[in-house]
Amino acid sequence: MVNGERHTATIDNRTSLLDLLREQLGLTGTKKGCDAGACGACTVLIDGRRVNACLTLAVRLEGAAVTTIEGLAPGQDDELHPLQQAFIEQDAFQCGYCTSGQIMSGMGCIREGHTGSREEIREWMSGNICRCGCYVQVVRAVEQAVGRK
């Protein structure tokens, strides 16, 4: 299941979830950055937990529920998910390349309950905090989405 839709794919055992999403399913919101799990641009949720799609073998996901940035919005009237809207309102991106991974990591933090303080959010998002200096706005966006700001 990807974003609530069942997909069947024939893949090589070495195919990463990232490559499956981008190349076979045409979901390009998840970015291909370092391809080594260090940049976080490829973060998605699998069964509600955040993972690096570049390091996850697609063949191991039979029966799993994958959520990408394209699957967050409610799907009605071009409405954004509250976290997506918070990123816009907090200007939480500089170049925007890492934004989808940051939003998905933020969703993971919210679902995991790691939003008690700015320090906690920053710690639990450390693999996705943009190195270009927008981390303050990213943390504020997560706070806003959980209603603390």
Side-chain angles (χ1 to χ4, degrees), residues 56-99:
T56 303
L57 292 175
V59 72
R60 299 184 63 133
L61 298 176
E62 186 172 347
V66 177
T67 306
T68 68
I69 191 73
E70 292 94 342
L72 275 190
Q76 298 175 353
D77 303 322
D78 295 326
E79 184 180 339
L80 295 174
H81 184 279
L83 185 54
Q84 291 170 312
Q85 187 63 45
F87 262 71
I88 292 169
E89 291 172 11
Q90 294 295 330
D91 195 23
F93 37 79
Q94 192 160 343
C95 75
Y97 190 80
C98 301
T99 303

Side-chain angles (χ1 to χ4, degrees), residues 1-52:
M1 296 289 289
V2 177
N3 298 330
E5 293 183 31
R6 182 168 303 285
H7 294 273
T8 302
T10 302
I11 56 172
D12 182 284
N13 287 339
R14 299 167 293 176
T15 301
S16 71
L17 173 58
L18 177 61
D19 289 337
L20 174 69
L21 292 170
R22 293 181 61 80
E23 296 171 14
Q24 290 193 28
L25 301 182
L27 298 171
T28 58
T30 303
K31 301 302 180 201
K32 189 169 191 132
C34 66
D35 219 12
C39 74
C42 68
T43 302
V44 299
L45 301 178
I46 297 177
D47 296 329
R49 293 182 340 261
R50 51 199 158 139
V51 300
N52 290 325

Side-chain angles (χ1 to χ4, degrees), residues 133-148:
C134 286
Y135 78 89
V136 173
Q137 292 96 318
V138 170
V139 171
R140 286 183 186 149
V142 174
E143 284 182 312
Q144 179 179 327
V146 295
R148 288 200 352 190

